[in-house]
PDB file of all heavy atoms in Angstrom:
ATOM      1  N   ALA C 307     -16.898   7.617 -22.222  1.00  0.00           N
ATOM      2  CA  ALA C 307     -17.232   8.166 -23.540  1.00  0.00           C
ATOM      3  C   ALA C 307     -16.090   7.909 -24.518  1.00  0.00           C
ATOM      4  O   ALA C 307     -14.937   7.696 -24.118  1.00  0.00           O
ATOM      5  CB  ALA C 307     -17.499   9.664 -23.417  1.00  0.00           C
ATOM      6  N   ALA C 308     -16.423   7.969 -25.796  1.00  0.00           N
ATOM      7  CA  ALA C 308     -15.423   7.766 -26.846  1.00  0.00           C
ATOM      8  C   ALA C 308     -14.307   8.798 -26.728  1.00  0.00           C
ATOM      9  O   ALA C 308     -14.551   9.976 -26.485  1.00  0.00           O
ATOM     10  CB  ALA C 308     -16.080   7.850 -28.216  1.00  0.00           C
ATOM     11  N   VAL C 309     -13.071   8.313 -26.880  1.00  0.00           N
ATOM     12  CA  VAL C 309     -11.880   9.163 -26.837  1.00  0.00           C
ATOM     13  C   VAL C 309     -11.057   8.842 -28.082  1.00  0.00           C
ATOM     14  O   VAL C 309     -10.735   7.678 -28.321  1.00  0.00           O
ATOM     15  CB  VAL C 309     -11.026   8.859 -25.578  1.00  0.00           C
ATOM     16  CG1 VAL C 309      -9.719   9.635 -25.615  1.00  0.00           C
ATOM     17  CG2 VAL C 309     -11.791   9.132 -24.306  1.00  0.00           C
ATOM     18  N   THR C 310     -10.721   9.867 -28.862  1.00  0.00           N
ATOM     19  CA  THR C 310      -9.778   9.667 -29.956  1.00  0.00           C
ATOM     20  C   THR C 310      -8.394   9.938 -29.399  1.00  0.00           C
ATOM     21  O   THR C 310      -8.117  11.034 -28.907  1.00  0.00           O
ATOM     22  CB  THR C 310     -10.095  10.591 -31.147  1.00  0.00           C
ATOM     23  OG1 THR C 310     -11.412  10.274 -31.626  1.00  0.00           O
ATOM     24  CG2 THR C 310      -9.094  10.386 -32.279  1.00  0.00           C
ATOM     25  N   VAL C 311      -7.556   8.927 -29.440  1.00  0.00           N
ATOM     26  CA  VAL C 311      -6.213   9.015 -28.858  1.00  0.00           C
ATOM     27  C   VAL C 311      -5.357   9.911 -29.754  1.00  0.00           C
ATOM     28  O   VAL C 311      -5.247   9.659 -30.954  1.00  0.00           O
ATOM     29  CB  VAL C 311      -5.580   7.613 -28.711  1.00  0.00           C
ATOM     30  CG1 VAL C 311      -4.197   7.701 -28.098  1.00  0.00           C
ATOM     31  CG2 VAL C 311      -6.489   6.699 -27.902  1.00  0.00           C
ATOM     32  N   PRO C 312      -4.755  10.971 -29.180  1.00  0.00           N
ATOM     33  CA  PRO C 312      -3.908  11.850 -29.989  1.00  0.00           C
ATOM     34  C   PRO C 312      -2.718  11.100 -30.582  1.00  0.00           C
ATOM     35  O   PRO C 312      -2.269  10.090 -30.038  1.00  0.00           O
ATOM     36  CB  PRO C 312      -3.423  12.911 -28.984  1.00  0.00           C
ATOM     37  CG  PRO C 312      -4.387  12.853 -27.846  1.00  0.00           C
ATOM     38  CD  PRO C 312      -4.857  11.423 -27.786  1.00  0.00           C
ATOM     39  N   ALA C 313      -2.186  11.639 -31.674  1.00  0.00           N
ATOM     40  CA  ALA C 313      -0.977  11.070 -32.283  1.00  0.00           C
ATOM     41  C   ALA C 313       0.121  11.036 -31.224  1.00  0.00           C
ATOM     42  O   ALA C 313       0.173  11.896 -30.341  1.00  0.00           O
ATOM     43  CB  ALA C 313      -0.540  11.926 -33.469  1.00  0.00           C
ATOM     44  N   ASP C 314       0.977  10.044 -31.298  1.00  0.00           N
ATOM     45  CA  ASP C 314       2.095   9.879 -30.362  1.00  0.00           C
ATOM     46  C   ASP C 314       1.628   9.760 -28.914  1.00  0.00           C
ATOM     47  O   ASP C 314       2.309  10.205 -27.987  1.00  0.00           O
ATOM     48  CB  ASP C 314       3.116  11.017 -30.496  1.00  0.00           C
ATOM     49  CG  ASP C 314       3.788  11.007 -31.860  1.00  0.00           C
ATOM     50  OD1 ASP C 314       4.024   9.894 -32.397  1.00  0.00           O
ATOM     51  OD2 ASP C 314       4.072  12.087 -32.395  1.00  0.00           O
ATOM     52  N   SER C 315       0.456   9.145 -28.721  1.00  0.00           N
ATOM     53  CA  SER C 315      -0.082   8.910 -27.378  1.00  0.00           C
ATOM     54  C   SER C 315      -0.598   7.490 -27.291  1.00  0.00           C
ATOM     55  O   SER C 315      -0.743   6.802 -28.301  1.00  0.00           O
ATOM     56  CB  SER C 315      -1.219   9.890 -27.072  1.00  0.00           C
ATOM     57  OG  SER C 315      -0.741  11.213 -27.021  1.00  0.00           O
ATOM     58  N   VAL C 316      -0.864   7.049 -26.062  1.00  0.00           N
ATOM     59  CA  VAL C 316      -1.414   5.721 -25.810  1.00  0.00           C
ATOM     60  C   VAL C 316      -2.556   5.838 -24.800  1.00  0.00           C
ATOM     61  O   VAL C 316      -2.567   6.731 -23.963  1.00  0.00           O
ATOM     62  CB  VAL C 316      -0.347   4.733 -25.286  1.00  0.00           C
ATOM     63  CG1 VAL C 316       0.618   4.337 -26.382  1.00  0.00           C
ATOM     64  CG2 VAL C 316       0.398   5.291 -24.089  1.00  0.00           C
ATOM     65  N   PHE C 317      -3.503   4.906 -24.897  1.00  0.00           N
ATOM     66  CA  PHE C 317      -4.590   4.780 -23.931  1.00  0.00           C
ATOM     67  C   PHE C 317      -4.287   3.505 -23.162  1.00  0.00           C
ATOM     68  O   PHE C 317      -4.210   2.427 -23.740  1.00  0.00           O
ATOM     69  CB  PHE C 317      -5.933   4.668 -24.657  1.00  0.00           C
ATOM     70  CG  PHE C 317      -7.126   4.888 -23.774  1.00  0.00           C
ATOM     71  CD1 PHE C 317      -7.718   6.137 -23.678  1.00  0.00           C
ATOM     72  CD2 PHE C 317      -7.670   3.837 -23.049  1.00  0.00           C
ATOM     73  CE1 PHE C 317      -8.836   6.342 -22.872  1.00  0.00           C
ATOM     74  CE2 PHE C 317      -8.785   4.029 -22.245  1.00  0.00           C
ATOM     75  CZ  PHE C 317      -9.378   5.288 -22.155  1.00  0.00           C
ATOM     76  N   LEU C 318      -4.049   3.640 -21.853  1.00  0.00           N
ATOM     77  CA  LEU C 318      -3.591   2.538 -21.018  1.00  0.00           C
ATOM     78  C   LEU C 318      -4.669   2.120 -20.034  1.00  0.00           C
ATOM     79  O   LEU C 318      -5.356   2.976 -19.469  1.00  0.00           O
ATOM     80  CB  LEU C 318      -2.349   2.958 -20.229  1.00  0.00           C
ATOM     81  CG  LEU C 318      -1.180   3.493 -21.043  1.00  0.00           C
ATOM     82  CD1 LEU C 318      -0.099   4.046 -20.124  1.00  0.00           C
ATOM     83  CD2 LEU C 318      -0.616   2.413 -21.940  1.00  0.00           C
ATOM     84  N   MET C 319      -4.778   0.805 -19.814  1.00  0.00           N
ATOM     85  CA  MET C 319      -5.709   0.282 -18.823  1.00  0.00           C
ATOM     86  C   MET C 319      -5.050  -0.879 -18.095  1.00  0.00           C
ATOM     87  O   MET C 319      -4.205  -1.583 -18.659  1.00  0.00           O
ATOM     88  CB  MET C 319      -7.013  -0.179 -19.487  1.00  0.00           C
ATOM     89  CG  MET C 319      -7.794   0.974 -20.104  1.00  0.00           C
ATOM     90  SD  MET C 319      -9.180   0.463 -21.137  1.00  0.00           S
ATOM     91  CE  MET C 319     -10.350  -0.067 -19.933  1.00  0.00           C
ATOM     92  N   GLY C 320      -5.449  -1.066 -16.839  1.00  0.00           N
ATOM     93  CA  GLY C 320      -4.998  -2.225 -16.089  1.00  0.00           C
ATOM     94  C   GLY C 320      -5.833  -3.430 -16.464  1.00  0.00           C
ATOM     95  O   GLY C 320      -6.963  -3.303 -16.926  1.00  0.00           O
TER      96      GLY C 320
END
Side-chain angles (χ1 to χ4, degrees):
V309 174
T310 299
V311 180
D314 295 324
S315 295
V316 288
F317 195 95
L318 305 172
M319 294 170 74

